[in-house]
Amino acid sequence: MQRHYQFAGFMGKRVHLGVTGSIAAYKALDLLRALIRADLQVSATLTPGAEEFVRGLAFEALGASPVYGPMFDARAESPFGHLEPGQLADAMVIAPASATTMARLAFGLGDDMLACQALAFPGPKIIAPAMNPKMWEAPATRRNWEMLGEMGYTRVGPDSGHVACGDTGSGRFAQVDEILLAVLKAISPQDMAGRKVVVTLGPTRESWDAVRFWSNPSSGTMGACLAVAAYLRGADVHAVAGPCGLTFPAGIRVTNVNSAREMYEAASEAWPDADIGCCSAAVADYRPVPFGDQKFKKTGTDGLTVQFETNPDILKSLGKVKKAGQMLLGFAAETANVEAEAARKLEAKNLDMIAANDVSSDGSGFGTATNRMLVLHRSGRKEHWPLLSKTEVAWRLWDHLLLD
Ligand code: C5P
């Protein structure tokens, strides 16, 4: 799983996982592990069909508790297992969902434990189908899928491609990451709903000749964590991403760019319409004056002198045209005088908040999964945070900015 999808901190929340009879049932174990990694408590129900592919014991062993047995089970701890998820869980996810279970849910049948639990579940429900493409395209399945959408289910997938039986088409189980994010979104506060957020992230690449460029080792993780956190909290997110190879949830608009000037163009175009701007990209301050379209050939041993010209400061230019009501968050990666430099940039770039870190300290900065931040707000608020995962830093930065 990609780092910017590894959100923790959902402590105290509970999710009920329903698994049905599909060859993809084993992938529900990955989903379970991802949910548990997010600090969630997870209970599970396997239909009899699911039990043909993977046993409830495996879910128990990986931390699901309880794993419900069938209806009318004399050994069950409570006669009300069919009602418990509705009383206890914050969201229910049925993954993978077979055509039969989709039909049960669409028509409100209560003829197995999972179907009864879904009927008695008042909270958000997420469904991710998996089946053969012909079964997926069958008119009955299409109708049931539409009905589930109308009933308020969040529908994830299915993907297209090769399926287990050798056919190709639509019906593949969605990526576990996509399903996880749909669950996390369903249980996240929607306190950024209605806000448009632009995030720059990753490095830039400044071409010099046909094969060489000037860049830096930014992984884009911090910005991606901010983009995904805002998305989970309901914001309309536009990520302007330098070349970092990250993928984003389908609900995030992504503009891929290479150079600082391309990033500047994309960010400047998006900014007038945005409520919040966040520049976390590691933009190259200078670009080499291009050698040309050809590959540079070695010419002796006297070294090489390359001229550089100045790139636009994207954040500063957004700050210059910031309107009342817009908020701008910047970053400062420093190796000395962290606080003084952060305070200077807060002012010079007309920011509302700046998150600074000492990139020479252990565990903080480029390519790490963690950051130790000093956060300055234009109101004078100042916070020192301990070493935290970037996903947690992202969540806290939005909290802090929204306090305003
Ligand atoms: O001045 P400095 O480069 O340290 O400022 C860092 C902040 O400015 C970061 O938020 C970075 O994304 C942004 N920046 C930018 N365009 C540049 C240089 C930095 O948006 N050319």
Side-chain angles (χ1 to χ4, degrees):
M1 186 194 302
Q2 301 188 77
R3 274 182 190 161
H4 55 296
Y5 288 178
Q6 289 181 5
F7 283 90
F10 287 89
M11 197 94 70
K13 298 259 185 191
R14 179 178 271 275
V15 169
H16 186 61
L17 170 62
V19 186
T20 78
S22 157
I23 183 64
Y26 73 95
K27 295 185 185 169
L29 291 165
D30 279 342
L31 178 59
L32 168 64
R33 294 180 69 190
L35 293 168
I36 294 222
R37 232 184 276 128
D39 289 340
L40 286 157
Q41 289 180 294
V42 185
S43 52
T45 301
L46 281 72
T47 62
E51 289 270 4
E52 296 292 333
F53 290 93
V54 50
R55 293 182 60 194
L57 183 62
F59 287 80
E60 233 158 23
L62 290 178
S65 176
V67 175
Y68 292 92
M71 290 285 287
F72 315 120
D73 181 355
R75 291 161 303 166
E77 273 183 28
S78 153
F80 301 112
H82 60 302
L83 305 180
E84 277 175 8
Q87 292 158 347
L88 302 174
D90 300 280
M92 178 166 181
V93 53
I94 299 124
S98 63
T100 305
T101 289
M102 278 172 53
R104 281 202 181 94
L105 301 179
F107 284 91
L109 302 185
D111 61 345
D112 71 12
M113 182 58 120
L114 182 61
C116 283
Q117 287 172 332
L119 271 178
F121 198 88
K125 290 189 280 251
I126 297 105
I127 187 158
M131 68 196 70
N132 167 275
K134 300 236 170 27
M135 293 174 77
W136 173 250
E137 278 149 24
T141 310
R142 314 255 13 104
R143 181 201 53 211
N144 295 339
W145 184 239
E146 289 309 311
M147 284 170 69
L148 291 168
E150 283 159 18
M151 288 160 66
Y153 276 78
T154 298
R155 299 173 302 168
V156 185
D159 289 350
S160 293
H162 280 296
V163 289
C165 55
D167 276 2
T168 303
S170 211
R172 273 174 67 92
F173 191 48
Q175 295 293 315
V176 166
D177 284 353
E178 280 289 327
I179 305 167
L180 170 72
L181 289 173
V183 175
L184 297 186
K185 192 168 169 55
I187 59 174
S188 293
Q190 295 300 291
D191 55 352
M192 294 182 78
R195 304 206 196 220
K196 288 190 177 167
V197 178
V198 188
V199 182
T200 71
L201 63 102
T204 63
R205 271 185 196 170
E206 314 297 328
S207 289
W208 179 62
D209 73 356
V211 294
R212 298 177 178 93
F213 57 79
W214 174 258
S215 190
N216 63 65
S218 165
S219 63
T221 307
M222 189 63 247
C225 288
L226 281 153
V228 177
Y231 163 75
L232 292 179
R233 292 165 73 157
D236 176 355
V237 182
H238 183 170
V240 180
C244 51
L246 298 176
T247 55
F248 292 86
I252 292 185
R253 176 171 168 207
V254 183
T255 304
N256 289 305
V257 296
N258 267 305
S259 66
R261 283 179 295 176
E262 284 170 21
M263 188 175 275
Y264 171 78
E265 292 294 326
S268 305
E269 197 183 316
W271 179 230
D273 213 21
D275 302 296
I276 300 175
C278 167
C279 287
S280 62
V283 184
D285 292 320
Y286 300 95
R287 61 178 180 273
V289 174
F291 164 74
D293 299 340
Q294 302 294 311
K295 182 180 170 196
F296 173 80
K297 290 281 185 198
K298 242 186 311 199
T299 54
T301 52
D302 289 343
L304 173 69
T305 304
V306 178
Q307 281 279 325
F308 282 82
E309 46 197 16
T310 308
N311 266 333
D313 187 321
I314 302 166
L315 181 57
K316 195 169 183 181
S317 73
L318 301 189
K320 263 194 191 135
V321 295
K322 189 173 71 168
K323 295 178 291 200
Q326 284 185 312
M327 288 191 279
L328 198 51
L329 165 63
F331 281 79
E334 307 295 342
T335 50
N337 304 326
V338 179
E339 185 166 346
E341 278 302 296
R344 185 181 64 73
K345 287 173 190 176
L346 182 74
E347 185 68 27
K349 301 196 186 199
N350 192 23
L351 309 181
D352 296 275
M353 206 167 92
I354 190 157
N357 61 354
D358 180 348
V359 287
S360 60
S361 83
D362 278 355
S364 213
F366 286 137
T368 62
T370 49
N371 258 348
R372 184 180 285 111
M373 297 311 234
L374 163 72
V375 181
L376 304 181
H377 191 272
R378 73 173 152 67
S379 65
R381 289 200 309 266
K382 177 168 98 176
E383 303 241 335
H384 282 280
W385 294 343
L387 198 64
L388 297 169
S389 73
K390 287 182 175 176
T391 56
E392 170 136 22
V393 170
W395 206 278
R396 285 191 183 206
L397 284 173
W398 292 135
D399 284 347
H400 209 59
L401 190 69
L402 296 178
L403 270 183
D404 204 11

